[in-house]
Structure formats: structure tokens, C-alpha cells
Amino acid sequence: MDRITLPERPDWREKARAVGFGFHEMYGEPYWVDDAAYTFSIAEIEDEIEAPTEALHELCMDLVAEVAVDTALLSRMAIPEERHGLIRDSWAAGDRHLYGRFDLAYDGLGNAKLLEYNADTPTSIFEAAYFQHNWLVDQMELGALPEGCDQFNMLQESLVEAFATFPPDRILHFSCWMENDEDRGTTTYLMDCAVQAGHEVDMLDIQAIGVDAQGRFVDEHERTIDRCFKLYPWEDMLREPFAQYLKPGVFIEPAWKTVLSNKAILPLLWERHEGHPNLLPAFFADDPRAEKLADAVVKPVFSREGENVTLRRKGETVEASEGDYGNEPRVVQAYAPLFERSGQHAVLGSWMVGDRAAGLGMREDGSRITRNLSRFVPHVIMPD
């Protein structure tokens, strides 16, 4: 594993705009990095990233099977008691899931370590699946990279295959907060994958979803929403006024994914698989063992985009981020150093599509806490 620099493509911004990648800059800050790349060997990808990702996913699925039927564990995860039945029924019904992203710490030397599982509303899928693939092709054609380079990137074909497992017998709605460029771009890309899989689709703002007299969700045209991909967190949906109308089988990701998108899985996984090479020691904040972790990261169970995270070294706070999750229950996880080059700290985003590891996206930041504006850097598998 290494980080290299190379000339940026002269026309990459025009190419980004042409394919709807308007959020290559966000809030006046660069998001996409075109003149650098993280490099890997094929052995690293297969043995240290792909295989551990699938192993972690299996551990997570086993955990859902346990938690979904255990009211005490659901409550421990701060899931509202009145929605426990929805989680249980969604799992029992075998509601299909689509995708998720493991965030891993890996420095090219030891084992990749699970930091968290973005299993409900992960973004950066468009840039990982599509735009970094185009970057690789262009850079080889320009001679900046040698022929024979590759990527760990089966994402687009895997997404199309995954959407094809949902019967095309009804409109597949797609919904997000449309004012957010990144959310809209992510949702539009996934909708295009669904079209390639043969679905009739329609897109609407999450705030435009209504409920009819029969308690069914409907779109702006009063059409029943029978199946809907939503880029909106389950922990928020479960607390909305319309939550009483939620039922299994309607939304993608399914309701049982609220278990896996919850950072409470970190202590639960460690409790069940202590010493696993891809897990870090982790405890609920009220566990006395949490205080014994001198080098640790403290995270709210529902935090997103790196908000309200505290990094502790030798018992002292060395970094902390602000955010909207200050009142959430917390977990404490042992600190794992990130890969660092030139003052940039890199997190590996290892993607699952269905039950298969399907690709890699790299994010980097000058901080050890990866946040919303942390930059996306393409990766390349170098030829032997």
C-alpha cells in the first residue's frame, strides 16, 4: 500500500459536470482528488480487504439474527421499543438488502480493522463505482499509469445484479433530501442502476412522501409506494410521526438494517468474537472496561459524517469534532492508526453489494477523524 501523485486529467472537471458529479467540490472545498492515488497489490486486495470484508459481513448478519429477536439488545441499541416488532418482522420476512460500506483502518502492515459499518445510507458509491473507474481508464490512456493496472471495483455490475433480484412488478421509487447535492447525486446513480436492471422508477423528495386513508405511503401523484429506496436514516424514520405506518417489505434498505447501521454493533461484535483479527476492542461507554482504553475513539451510536467523535491518546483528548449527536449514547473503541502520507490519514471504504465484497473507495483527511468533506482519492491495483 502506498500513496502516489500523478498529473491530474486536464478535463476532469468538465467530465465530472457532464455525468452529474457536481459535488466534486462541496461548500467551496475540493472533494474529488484527481492527481493522487492509493496503490495496492492484488494480494493485499484479495487477502487483506476483500476476504476480511466478507468475513465481517457474516459476523454482522449473525448478529442481526440474534438482536432482531432480543428486546433487551434492541433497547441496548437505543431502538425505540414500539418499533422492535418492525425490526423482528423485517428480518423474519427476509427483506432484501442492497449495499453497505465497511470503514476499515489498514496501513499495509497488519490486519484491516473494522471502524464502523455504514449499512443503511452510505454515500460515495457513485464516485467509487463510476468516476474512479473512468479515472483509471483515462490515466492509463494518458500514460500516467502503466498498462495492466486494475481496481477493486465490481460495483456497478454488482448493483445492477442486486437490483435485478427485486421483482420489477411495481414502480421502484427513489427518495432522498433533494436539496443535498451529494444525496441527490448518489440516489440518481442508484436509480440508473435500477433502470439497467429493468425497473420502472420514479424519484421524489423524502419530504414529499405522504400517507393515504388506508395508512399506505404514497407519492406526489397519490400512487402507492410499494417499494422505495430511501437515502434517509432508519434511526430518524423510526422516530418520525409517520413511523406507525412502517411495515416490512417497502423500504430499501430494510428495517433490520437499523441494527447494522448502529455503532452499538462494535461492542456487541467484540463481546461475541473477542480477539478476531479484524475487530478492535470496543465497549459501551458505561462499561468500566471502556475507561481502561487509554488510546480510544468515543463515538455516538448514531453519529454520521464523523460528528461528535472524540479521539483519546494516553487518556487525553487530542481531537474532537462537533455535530448534532451530542445527546446520543456512546461506545468506546480502541484506537487504530490510519495509513498516513504527507499529513493525510486514509480510511478504506470496502463495499458490500448484497452479500459480496464488490469494491473499494478511499477517503483521506488531515484529521484522524473522517468527516463529510474528507476527500475521495481513487485507488489502483498495480501490475506485478
Side-chain angles (χ1 to χ4, degrees):
M1 183 179 180
D2 200 2
R3 186 186 191 277
I4 62 172
T5 58
L6 63 170
E8 69 174 33
R9 296 170 293 168
D11 58 348
W12 75 264
R13 290 174 180 82
E14 290 76 13
K15 288 185 174 183
R17 286 192 289 268
V19 296
F21 188 16
F23 55 96
H24 63 79
E25 292 184 358
M26 290 191 286
Y27 311 106
E29 296 291 333
Y31 170 63
W32 171 267
V33 175
D34 207 77
D35 61 354
Y38 285 92
T39 64
F40 298 87
S41 69
I42 186 63
E44 277 183 309
I45 293 293
E46 292 179 347
D47 299 337
E48 305 299 335
I49 300 171
E50 182 178 13
T53 295
E54 293 189 345
L56 287 168
H57 178 70
E58 290 182 13
L59 297 184
C60 287
M61 296 296 280
D62 289 343
L63 184 64
V64 179
E66 178 184 352
V67 172
V69 296
D70 190 320
T71 57
L73 287 175
L74 288 168
S75 295
R76 191 73 169 111
M77 302 186 84
I79 295 173
E81 182 177 353
E82 60 271 22
R83 305 297 165 231
H84 289 185
L86 172 66
I87 310 304
R88 181 190 62 245
D89 294 346
S90 173
W91 178 254
D95 283 354
R96 295 183 183 275
H97 62 113
L98 181 65
Y99 76 141
R101 190 190 74 234
F102 285 101
D103 284 351
L104 306 175
Y106 178 67
D107 60 6
L109 300 174
N111 295 306
K113 300 291 187 179
L114 172 63
L115 301 177
E116 60 187 64
Y117 192 9
N118 299 280
D120 182 20
T121 59
T123 53
S124 78
I125 186 69
F126 167 78
E127 45 271 44
Y130 185 83
F131 205 68
Q132 75 164 341
H133 168 74
N134 290 358
W135 171 92
L136 177 67
V137 172
D138 288 347
Q139 293 289 22
M140 285 194 292
E141 289 180 352
L142 291 167
L145 288 172
E147 290 295 325
C149 288
D150 202 354
Q151 277 177 351
F152 179 31
N153 191 355
M154 304 176 291
L155 285 166
Q156 182 150 319
E157 57 265 44
S158 297
L159 286 165
V160 173
E161 290 173 9
F163 275 118
T165 67
F166 294 89
D169 56 351
R170 63 202 71 185
I171 296 173
L172 178 51
H173 285 85
F174 283 77
S175 187
C176 67
W177 184 38
M178 299 284 279
E179 290 184 12
N180 183 287
D181 290 343
E182 184 180 14
D183 286 5
R184 187 178 65 253
T186 297
T187 305
T188 300
Y189 171 69
L190 291 169
M191 186 169 65
D192 182 68
C193 291
V195 169
Q196 293 180 54
H199 288 279
E200 180 184 354
V201 300
D202 197 9
M203 190 170 180
L204 73 163
D205 194 288
I206 192 75
Q207 299 174 91
I209 294 177
V211 179
D212 68 11
Q214 287 74 48
R216 300 172 301 183
F217 292 110
V218 293
D219 65 15
E220 299 160 298
H221 307 289
E222 296 299 318
R223 295 176 301 187
T224 302
I225 296 176
D226 298 308
R227 186 171 294 126
C228 179
F229 171 87
K230 50 89 197 163
L231 198 69
Y232 189 70
W234 268 111
E235 65 262 24
D236 293 337
M237 288 181 68
L238 295 179
R239 292 164 173 80
E240 295 279 6
F242 61 69
Q244 61 181 306
Y245 302 109
L246 292 167
K247 62 181 181 179
V250 176
F251 289 101
I252 308 167
E253 297 295 323
W256 59 259
K257 273 289 192 84
T258 194
V259 173
L260 294 187
S261 64
N262 187 316
K263 293 177 185 62
I265 68 169
L266 300 173
L268 295 179
L269 286 171
W270 183 252
E271 182 179 283
R272 287 150 182 77
H273 308 283
E274 183 174 344
H276 189 284
N278 302 115
L279 294 175
L280 292 164
F283 307 97
F284 289 100
D286 59 3
D287 189 321
R289 292 172 292 180
E291 290 299 319
K292 297 179 181 178
L293 293 177
D295 293 343
V297 180
V298 184
K299 311 175 183 182
V301 295
F302 294 130
S303 172
R304 292 171 183 268
E305 308 290 5
E307 293 189 10
N308 300 102
V309 173
T310 300
L311 173 59
R312 198 167 66 202
R313 301 299 303 274
K314 297 181 180 180
E316 300 293 330
T317 297
V318 295
E319 283 192 56
S321 60
E322 298 180 349
D324 298 326
Y325 301 91
N327 297 322
E328 300 288 353
R330 282 167 161 72
V331 298
V332 181
Q333 183 184 49
Y335 170 73
L338 304 179
F339 182 89
E340 183 179 358
R341 283 288 186 278
S342 304
Q344 296 297 316
H345 304 85
V347 167
L348 284 71
S350 188
W351 289 92
M352 291 292 304
V353 178
D355 297 306
R356 180 175 69 181
L360 177 65
M362 301 293 300
R363 300 280 301 281
E364 69 175 21
D365 202 294
S367 166
R368 294 176 179 86
I369 300 173
T370 306
R371 313 183 199 209
N372 185 37
L373 294 181
S374 298
R375 292 165 293 280
F376 190 102
V377 185
H379 79 277
V380 58
I381 302 173
M382 302 299 287
D384 294 333

